[in-house]
Amino acid sequence: MNQKQRSFKLVGIAALFLLLVLAFAGPVAAQEGVTYITEGDCISAASGNDRCSANDVTLGALTVTQVIEQCDSTTDTFTALVSATVDATALGRFDIGMWIGMTDYAAANPGAQPGDGARFGDSCYRQILSPVTTTAAEVNPTSGEGPYASLDGDFCGDVQQGVSSLANLPYDDSSVMTLPCADPDNDGVANIDACVSWENNPKVTCANVTQALPGSPAKCSCGSFAATGVDIRKIIVDKVTPQSQGSEQAFPFTLSAVEDAAAANGRALEPVEFTLTDAQEPFVTGALVAGTYSVAEGAVEGWTSDGGTCVDAAGKSYDPAGIDLTGPAVTVTCTFTNTQELPPPSVGRIVVDKVTPQSPGSTQVFAFTLSAVEAPAETKAVFEPIQFTLTDAQEPFSSGDLLARTYSVVETDPGGGWTLEKAECVDDAGKTYDPAKIDLPEPAGTVKCTFTNTVKPPITGVPLPFSYLLIGGALLGAALLAAGALMQRKAHAAA
């Protein structure tokens, strides 16, 4: 038997051994306490085996399954859930470790290769294929949550030739990954640096994620994967109509690439036409290649526009007609504010008069307050209350020009026995109003309010007529004379 025949024989024996392990072995012992997720060193610092040149095992795909927080710029981070597909091109490989770079290695290291952030970066998210089983019928490599095959009987999942294993990262949905908004290929979509490592020797025991390391310097494979759905270079357009928030009035927009700037990247942007209302969510372009763009708003009759303002997350301003996105990827938000052209407001006035019918021309002072009760939505003008005083002797108070809205006139109790008998408000057409709610009429007009007050006179002594005094005096004199005569008769009788 030659050397080549012996090699094929050994491979066949190994394959038969692995099949027997899966077919007849029982489940791996309870996996409570097994650490299958961690954050720490990347491949080079964790193992020193960082050549990563073999392709026995590869990451077939790295897919963003849920974006929780988006990017604003390449200096930002995004938060997401991710799934990884692990493929084996050789007979079983053991103790699979997945490494995700958590820093923008390429930004700090010009010339870095795809995947170097997980190979040489300062920190990595790490995970193993877990939970595992040694029972072939229980293996479910495509569920995203296992159980995965344990070909060597330890706690770190293994892969078989020709079988893709799908792993959700993180495994349990109780945590998420926060990753850099790196865009080394400058296509406007975030990239994720990732590696997969493995062990060739089934005799090496792996009890948790920190022991899932490359079996030799070559036994790892790395790459950079587009985080589809995590858009960094994008334009957001918002519509604001402050006079009528939530308005359904539609405004037309056109997003264009200026001078075919994007065409140089092989992804020319055809003009995008869309409409926006204040009530709608802002328009989002999705990922844009490096270039210069413009956002133009079409005219709407009866409305004026401020021309739009555009800023990025760092506060840098851009001209809406030339949004330069040729530098590091950023998100630019453009806000277009429109104001409705309203007809001039109607102007009227309120006149207040004071009447004291018991004392015409009285100088008794009465205090008043003129206030705005409510204003139409289109005016929004603030009206400060006007306080003034009036006497019957004075000329009526005039408010001056007022916008058409609702007002009130209130008299303060002056005391001193004065009572407000009545308050009447009437406009030029004879319509009456409640002084507490004067709807200043449209078209412009004047409302006159008259406040009538009376006073109770004080109670004092009342002088009697002189004839009453003469009669009273005569009667009193007669009574005194009669009493004197009676006393005299009694005295004679006694003598």
Side-chain angles (χ1 to χ4, degrees), residues 64 66-80 177-181 188-190 227-234 236 284-287 313 331:
V64 174
Q66 182 181 353
V67 180
I68 297 169
E69 185 175 345
Q70 275 279 7
C71 290
D72 284 327
S73 70
T74 49
T75 60
D76 194 14
T77 58
F78 71 95
T79 305
M177 283 194 292
T178 299
L179 301 174
C181 295
V189 179
T228 303
V230 183
D231 303 327
I232 308 174
R233 185 183 293 105
K234 59 182 180 285
I236 298 173
V284 183
T285 62
T331 294

Side-chain angles (χ1 to χ4, degrees), residues 233 235 255-265 269 288-295 318-327:
R233 185 183 293 105
I235 296 174
L255 170 72
S256 306
V258 178
E259 298 177 356
D260 294 325
N265 295 273
L269 175 75
L288 297 172
V289 298
T292 303
Y293 299 85
S294 72
V295 179
Y318 299 78
D319 180 357
I323 304 170
D324 185 0
L325 298 182
T326 56

